């Protein structure tokens, strides 16, 4: 029997393969949610929240090709919206989430306006300005009545509501975990169905050749601003839950600063820009590799060679080198690498062309396909 | 196990009963109620026999406790209520085997990374006690240090991991006001002792609201008052002051105290400048503004490496403005040979304070406490500077061990988290490197251990701190802190 095997997209075998993959991932999260301790679940929750924000960023960067280094501002805006409403105005945390989503969507649309005129490095610069301005605003004395200034807002609390099976503070970690998982799944479903829709093809067209897309009738302004808005909304809801889990917001929280934007971009690239699984895999690698790397050189560090020397920032250096290696080995991210490995065993062939009468409803092409004249 | 827990509960009950001895019947019943509830939750089957037969047992620990613990008979003794805990059983469970002590400090990243030698001093004390005394209560002490880059969200992640993965018995010596503030509510709900927070913010003295968190440093309000008293004593004509501080909880705690105090002293605040936490550049603009206001005194509260930048820039601004010659006081968290030495001429004559013996001063080298410290410290990290922040790490270690020893003494059945916090909140101990005449005392009415300090000034020519006046001790005067909300 010759390898690799050919499997046609949409065939029974293809569906079985997809189900097994989904099943394994679902099993991992369910098992973790039921058996892991509070610290493990806490870390996994952070990972899911970063992945949710990365799903949004992936729509923007990976699918639509608009570089943003300002996503920390949306993540932070979501966090501060919840924190201000809960901490300053006594709202129930759950009701602040829709407000965060709407506010971040609106601000995202507005911020998307420069993208109508700017491209590439210029757009990146504008988005950097957004990230840095956001932390300056948080620190601004005149806004301290709202944001708490440099001290931020502390002592936020979100106990599991009574309708949930979770009981008080002891189940807080689990409550945040399941909530984050549901939010992540919803955002991923929205993103993946968007990518497969007509709108998604417009997004890919904008990424691959803006002029050609416009010529073909894609409304550039609508696509760009809507994607910016949606992307910001996903970062916003992730930020909201992150703030409630952290119980505080302050301007120096890493994910509210430019670092956060860079981290989110790293996750998207690590996982595989443009792919549905990319953000999850990227966030997973980011959180766990960073955690592993931070232990290097410390007392019970991984590299016994460095034990006791405590080189400042060694963990950071190890992490940085790893990133470079991963990008070299897997230029299309971890998901790209896995696909390459899978292709040695199973080759997924596209569906045969659809009948001419249903041409408009044809299956989407993989995101890397060039859709241009 | 259940038996031991029950015993521990009895001891707490006995302490509570002893503490409330002088009260009326109602309060005695109140103190007893949680104990019964705890006994029920621990071992429901044992409740009945425990109520009847071992009545004598109940008194036995009480007697022992009364014999060994002075505070138990003292009206001012602090007794923690574990019923308020998320898991009262865990708070009263005897800690078996090694005693793990977790901490989270900035080892990397930003201006606060210069606090890293704290970890070496901290480690050195536990190594020293393990080597010379075999730990405490026959249990080896195992410190676990994590890096948080002075970022509160990382502190929180670290502490979660310390408590739930490493299963530390207690936390100790966590650096930073925002960092300790971020975990304070959680640790008080979980009833994990958060001892000797290496900051001087007022919140660590909130005995009633956050009993499980205790502070290590001289409260900032005490420090700024001591400076004002010193400055006005030296020059009764002081009329104007300027304030420079880092824009976070640490700096603002200082600023609030200082602003209230200058009014009291009849001094006008003529300039107020701030610097961001992550800003490691020279504060030129801020110091130019301060020099323009030409105040008589300046209180400066920079963070970590910012201490050096502040003094260096102070030297430059002074050179450019010969009339600008105020008495400048820098927070005690800058009182470090490393910082002052690096600042060159700018540090000359700058005041700060310390409640600890100056281990870098050759005159003190013959003191046994200093030589013990230097020897132990060198064995942990021969390359690091043993002066400054490293000494605070040693102090945090020493206070932790003193607490554990007292806990072992007060709770002969075994150390529990409740015993540890009761021991910490009733501590009466003189750390080996404290200046003469100072001691660490806390009780129900006194939420701060360190309330005395010595003003010192830097002599740049000889690279040494020089004492100014005498130790000013206001022990017991700061009482407890009540948070605003």
């Amino acid at each position: 029997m010759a390898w690799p095997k050919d499997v046609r997209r949409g065939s029974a075998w293809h569906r079985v393969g997809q189900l097994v993959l989904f099943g394994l991932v679902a099993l991992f999260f369910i098992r973790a949610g039921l058996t892991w301790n509070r610290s493990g679940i806490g870390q996994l929750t952070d990972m899911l929240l970063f992945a949710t924000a990365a799903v949004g960023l992936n729509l923007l960067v990976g699918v639509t090709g608009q570089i943003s280094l300002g996503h920390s501002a949306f993540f932070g805006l979501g966090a501060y919206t919840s924190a201000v409403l809960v901490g300053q105005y006594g709202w129930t945390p759950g009701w602040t989430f829709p407000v965060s989503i709407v506010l971040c969507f609106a601000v995202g649309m507005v911020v998307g306006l420069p993208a109508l005129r700017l491209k590439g490095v210029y757009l990146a610069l504008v988005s950097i300005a957004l990230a840095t301005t956001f932390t300056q605003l948080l620190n601004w004395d005149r806004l301290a009545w709202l944001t708490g200034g440099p001290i931020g807002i502390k002592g936020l609390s979100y106990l599991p509501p009574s309708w949930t099976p979770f009981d008080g503070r002891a189940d807080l970690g689990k409550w945040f975990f399941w909530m984050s998982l549901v939010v992540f799944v919803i955002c991923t479903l929205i993103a993946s169905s968007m990518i497969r829709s007509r709108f998604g093809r417009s997004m890919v067209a904008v990424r691959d050749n803006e002029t050609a897309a416009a010529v073909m009738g894609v409304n550039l302004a609508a696509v760009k601003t809507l994607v910016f808005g949606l992307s910001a909304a996903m970062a916003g809801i992730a930020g909201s839950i992150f703030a409630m889990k952290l119980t505080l917001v302050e301007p120096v929280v890493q994910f509210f600063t430019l670092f956060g934007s860079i981290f989110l971009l790293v996750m998207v690239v690590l996982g595989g820009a443009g792919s549905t699984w990319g953000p999850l895999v990227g966030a997973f690698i980011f959180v766990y590799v960073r955690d592993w790397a931070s232990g290097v050189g410390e007392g019970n560090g991984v590299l016994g060679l460095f034990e006791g020397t405590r080189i400042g920032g060694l963990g950071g250096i190890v992490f940085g080198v790893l990133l470079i290696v991963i990008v070299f080995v897997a230029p299309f991210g971890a998901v790209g690498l896995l696909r390459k490995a899978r292709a040695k065993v199973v080759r997924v062939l596209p569906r045969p062309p659809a009948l001419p009468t249903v041409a408009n409803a044809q299956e989407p092409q993989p995101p890397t396909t060039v859709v241009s004249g | 196990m259940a038996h031991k827990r029950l015993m521990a509960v009895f001891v707490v009950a006995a302490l509570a009963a002893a503490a409330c001895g002088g009260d009326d019947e109602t309060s005695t019943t109140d103190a007893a109620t949680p104990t019964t509830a705890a006994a029920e939750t621990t071992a429901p089957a044992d409740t009945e026999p425990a109520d009847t037969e071992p009545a004598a047992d109940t008194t036995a620990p009480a007697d022992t406790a009364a014999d060994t613990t002075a505070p138990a008979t003292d009206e001012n003794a602090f007794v923690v209520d574990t019923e308020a805990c998320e898991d009262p059983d865990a708070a009263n469970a005897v800690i078996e085997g090694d005693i793990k002590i977790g901490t989270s400090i900035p080892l990397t990243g930003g201006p606060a990374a210069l606090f890293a030698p704290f970890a070496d001093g901290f480690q050195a004390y536990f190594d020293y006690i393990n080597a010379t005394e075999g730990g405490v209560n026959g249990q080896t002490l195992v410190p676990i240090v994590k890096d948080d880059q002075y970022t509160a969200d990382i502190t929180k992640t670290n502490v979660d991991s310390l408590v739930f993965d490493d299963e530390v018995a207690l936390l100790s010596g966590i650096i930073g006001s925002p960092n300790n503030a971020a975990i304070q509510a959680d640790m008080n709900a979980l009833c994990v002792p958060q001892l000797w927070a290496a900051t001087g913010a007022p919140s660590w003295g909130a005995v009633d609201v956050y009993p499980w968190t205790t502070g290590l440093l001289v409260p900032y309000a005490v420090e700024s008052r001591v400076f004002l008293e010193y400055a006005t004593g030296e020059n009764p004509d002081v009329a104007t002051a300027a304030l420079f501080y880092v824009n976070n909880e640490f700096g603002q705690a200082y600023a609030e105290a200082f602003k209230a105090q200058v009014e009291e002293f009849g001094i006008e605040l003529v300039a107020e400048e701030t610097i961001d936490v992550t800003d490691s550049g020279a504060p030129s603009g801020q110091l130019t503004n301060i020099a323009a206001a030409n105040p008589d005194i300046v209180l400066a509260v920079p963070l970590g490496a910012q201490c050096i930048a502040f003094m260096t820039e102070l030297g430059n601004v002074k050179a450019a403005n010969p009339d600008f010659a105020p008495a400048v006081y820098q927070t005690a968290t800058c009182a470090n040979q490393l910082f002052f030495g690096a600042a060159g001429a700018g540090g000359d004559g700058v005041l700060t304070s310390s409640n600890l013996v100056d281990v870098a001063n050759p005159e003190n080298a013959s003191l046994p406490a200093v030589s013990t410290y230097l020897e132990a410290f060198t064995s942990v990290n021969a390359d690091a500077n043993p002066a400054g922040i490293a000494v605070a790490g040693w102090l945090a270690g020493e206070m932790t061990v003193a607490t554990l020893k007292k806990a072992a003494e007060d709770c002969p059945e075994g150390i529990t988290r409740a015993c540890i916090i009761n021991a910490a909140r009733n501590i009466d101990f003189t750390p080996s490197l404290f200046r003469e005449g100072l001691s660490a005392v806390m009780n129900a009415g006194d939420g701060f251990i360190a309330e005395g300090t010595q003003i010192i000034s830097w002599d740049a020519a000889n690279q040494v701190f020089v004492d100014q006046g005498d130790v000013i001790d206001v022990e017991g005067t700061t009482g407890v802190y009540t948070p605003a909300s």
Side-chain angles (χ1 to χ4, degrees):
Chain A
M1 217 156 42
W3 295 94
K5 292 272 172 227
D6 287 344
V7 172
R8 199 162 281 283
R9 186 173 291 277
S11 68
W13 279 112
H14 184 241
R15 294 227 178 274
V16 168
Q18 278 183 323
L19 271 178
V20 169
L21 183 63
F22 272 114
L24 285 176
V25 174
L27 198 70
F28 167 77
F29 281 108
I30 292 169
R31 202 182 126 76
L34 295 177
T35 59
W36 285 18
N37 73 5
R38 191 141 44 162
S39 151
I41 284 184
Q43 204 175 18
L44 204 58
T45 309
D46 284 346
M47 192 276 284
L48 282 168
L49 294 173
F50 299 152
T52 305
V55 167
L57 188 61
N58 189 33
L59 279 181
L60 194 64
V61 177
V63 184
T64 320
Q66 309 296 306
I67 291 290
S68 168
L69 278 166
H71 253 55
S72 57
F74 299 125
F75 192 80
L77 181 63
Y80 264 82
T81 305
S82 284
V84 167
L85 291 175
V86 173
Q88 317 274 51
Y89 297 101
W91 280 41
T92 307
W95 291 108
T96 68
F97 297 160
V99 179
S100 284
I101 293 171
V102 172
L103 185 66
C104 289
F105 183 80
V107 175
M109 295 250 298
V110 174
V111 169
L113 292 177
L116 300 179
R117 290 190 167 271
L118 300 174
K119 281 187 209 171
V121 73
Y122 301 102
L123 183 59
L125 276 178
V126 170
S127 63
I128 287 179
L130 172 71
T132 48
T133 309
F134 178 70
T135 47
Q136 292 300 319
L137 281 177
L138 297 181
N139 275 310
W140 197 24
D141 289 350
R142 299 269 173 89
L143 280 178
W145 60 273
L146 187 72
T147 62
I151 289 180
I153 301 167
K154 305 265 155 78
L156 303 171
S157 157
Y158 186 16
L159 292 178
S162 52
W163 53 267
T164 61
F166 307 109
D167 182 25
R169 275 195 71 96
D171 280 347
L172 210 53
K174 286 182 182 168
W175 161 235
F176 278 112
F177 169 75
W178 290 107
M179 184 165 47
S180 306
L181 185 61
V182 168
V183 168
F184 168 75
V185 169
I186 291 173
C187 287
T188 304
L189 287 177
I190 292 174
S192 70
S193 50
M194 254 183 82
I195 294 172
R196 284 160 209 274
S197 71
R198 180 191 166 88
F199 188 78
R201 283 193 294 280
S202 304
M203 289 157 67
V204 174
V206 170
R207 178 191 68 192
D208 291 341
N209 192 329
E210 228 173 77
T211 316
V215 169
M216 289 168 73
V218 171
N219 184 342
L220 293 185
V223 169
K224 284 185 180 178
T225 49
L226 261 177
V227 172
F228 252 101
L230 198 69
S231 177
M234 289 184 182
I237 179 68
S240 274
I241 302 175
F242 182 78
M244 298 318 300
K245 175 178 177 281
L246 194 60
T247 70
L248 65 99
V249 288
E250 56 176 7
V252 291
V253 170
Q254 260 186 334
F255 270 82
F256 303 165
T257 66
L258 186 58
F259 278 116
S261 293
I262 295 169
F263 292 161
L264 289 173
L265 197 62
V266 164
M267 289 177 208
V268 169
V269 175
L270 266 185
S275 90
T276 312
W277 288 98
L280 180 67
V281 176
F284 191 88
I285 297 175
F286 180 84
V287 168
Y288 288 95
V289 169
R290 188 176 67 155
D291 187 50
W292 170 81
S294 73
V296 174
E298 291 306 326
N300 53 356
V302 182
L303 299 182
L305 182 65
F306 293 105
E307 217 175 281
T309 54
R310 192 181 307 119
I311 299 169
L314 184 65
I317 297 169
V318 170
F319 184 58
V321 169
L322 268 174
L323 283 189
I324 295 169
V325 169
I326 291 175
V327 170
F328 264 107
V329 176
F332 297 104
V335 171
L337 193 69
L338 291 172
R339 285 210 174 116
K340 223 160 134 190
R342 186 194 62 186
K344 297 213 159 105
V345 187
V346 176
R347 212 163 35 166
V348 179
L349 302 178
R351 280 185 184 183
L355 295 172
T357 47
V358 286
N360 285 339
Q362 69 181 338
E363 275 301 302
Q365 300 299 306
T368 47
T369 312
V370 177
V371 183
S372 64
Chain B
M1 191 67 190
H3 174 70
K4 281 187 177 172
R5 279 183 190 170
L6 215 57
M7 289 289 279
V9 170
F10 281 137
V11 173
V12 174
L15 281 169
C20 302
D23 290 347
D24 58 21
E25 272 189 31
T26 330
S27 62
T28 317
T29 329
D30 282 346
T33 318
T35 320
T36 323
E40 275 167 14
T41 42
T42 325
D46 294 348
T47 318
E48 276 190 27
D51 279 344
T52 50
E53 194 215 337
D57 284 1
T58 335
T59 45
D63 287 341
T64 334
D67 286 341
T68 49
T69 357
T73 53
D74 185 348
E75 271 182 21
N76 232 355
F78 170 85
V79 180
V80 79
D81 174 14
T82 52
E83 273 312 291
C85 301
E86 207 172 277
D87 181 1
D89 291 353
N92 292 308
V94 171
I95 298 153
E96 312 273 4
D98 293 351
I99 300 177
K100 292 185 190 169
I101 301 137
T103 195
S104 179
I105 69 164
L107 297 171
T108 61
L114 282 186
F115 290 142
F118 184 96
D120 297 321
F122 193 64
Q123 175 83 43
Y125 195 79
F126 295 112
D127 286 358
Y128 166 70
I129 290 296
N130 285 333
T132 55
E133 300 176 21
V136 171
N137 200 28
Q139 295 172 270
T140 308
L141 307 174
V142 183
I144 303 176
V145 182
K146 287 189 188 273
D147 175 18
D148 60 23
Q149 302 173 23
Y150 198 75
T151 309
D153 59 314
I154 305 182
T155 310
K156 201 154 186 296
T157 310
N158 283 349
V159 165
D160 271 354
S161 175
L162 286 167
V163 172
F164 296 106
D165 295 336
D166 299 316
E167 296 180 345
V168 296
L170 68 153
L171 300 164
S172 182
I174 293 174
I175 289 182
S177 303
N179 313 73
N180 279 287
I183 59 166
Q184 191 175 23
D186 262 8
M187 293 307 110
N188 277 271
L190 285 167
C191 294
V192 174
Q194 179 190 353
L195 301 186
W196 318 126
T199 119
S203 343
W204 325 132
V207 179
D208 301 324
V209 189
Y210 296 122
W212 293 82
T213 311
T214 66
L216 180 72
L217 306 187
V218 176
Y220 301 141
V222 170
E223 224 190 291
S224 69
R225 178 176 294 278
V226 166
F227 164 57
L228 281 170
E229 276 180 9
Y230 170 80
T232 49
E234 290 287 300
N235 173 14
D237 298 332
V238 170
T240 53
L243 178 59
F244 171 83
Y245 60 96
V246 60
N247 215 346
N248 73 349
E249 272 123 319
F250 161 55
Q252 296 209 353
Y254 247 112
E256 273 169 31
F258 188 69
K259 282 182 201 170
Q261 288 164 0
V262 285
E263 262 182 41
E264 214 180 286
F265 279 77
I267 297 170
E268 188 194 352
L269 190 65
V270 289
E272 182 179 344
E273 296 290 329
T274 62
I275 185 167
D276 278 350
V277 176
T278 47
D279 193 347
S280 44
S284 320
Q286 294 95 322
L287 270 162
T288 308
N289 291 346
I290 289 175
N294 205 4
D296 297 326
I297 57 171
V298 178
L299 175 78
V301 190
L303 173 72
Q306 291 173 347
C307 304
I308 304 169
F310 173 80
M311 288 185 283
T312 312
E313 197 54 29
L314 179 70
N316 296 339
V317 172
K318 273 184 174 172
N321 303 275
D323 294 341
F324 176 56
V328 180
Y329 176 89
Q330 244 196 155
T331 158
T333 53
C334 295
N336 186 333
Q337 272 79 4
L338 186 70
F339 294 171
F340 278 78
D348 194 44
V350 171
L351 301 164
T352 181
S353 67
S354 175
N355 58 351
L356 299 173
V357 170
D358 183 359
V359 297
N361 192 331
E363 286 176 17
N364 295 329
S366 58
L367 296 174
V370 173
S371 56
T372 304
Y373 164 69
L374 291 175
E375 199 178 307
F377 184 83
T378 314
S379 69
V380 168
N381 191 344
D383 302 328
N385 185 342
I389 191 71
V391 188
W394 175 269
L395 174 67
E398 190 174 11
M399 288 304 300
T400 309
V401 169
T403 309
L404 289 170
K405 282 181 179 169
K406 180 167 164 53
E409 216 172 86
D410 294 350
C411 303
E413 313 71 23
I415 301 173
T416 67
R417 283 174 172 167
C419 294
I420 293 174
I421 200 61
N422 282 332
R425 283 257 169 243
N426 292 309
I427 199 99
D428 184 353
F429 175 70
T430 305
S432 59
L433 291 176
F434 258 28
R435 282 178 183 256
E436 213 177 324
L438 296 177
S439 60
V441 180
M442 281 206 297
N443 52 50
D446 179 2
F448 303 94
I449 57 157
E451 294 157 281
T453 196
Q454 166 76 56
I455 294 276
I456 51 180
S457 73
W458 179 248
D459 174 356
N462 298 311
Q463 295 282 299
V464 69
F465 285 114
V466 182
D467 290 0
Q468 300 291 325
D470 297 324
V471 165
I472 299 175
D473 188 5
V474 292
E475 178 61 55
T477 55
T478 37
V480 302
Y481 174 73
T482 310
S485 55

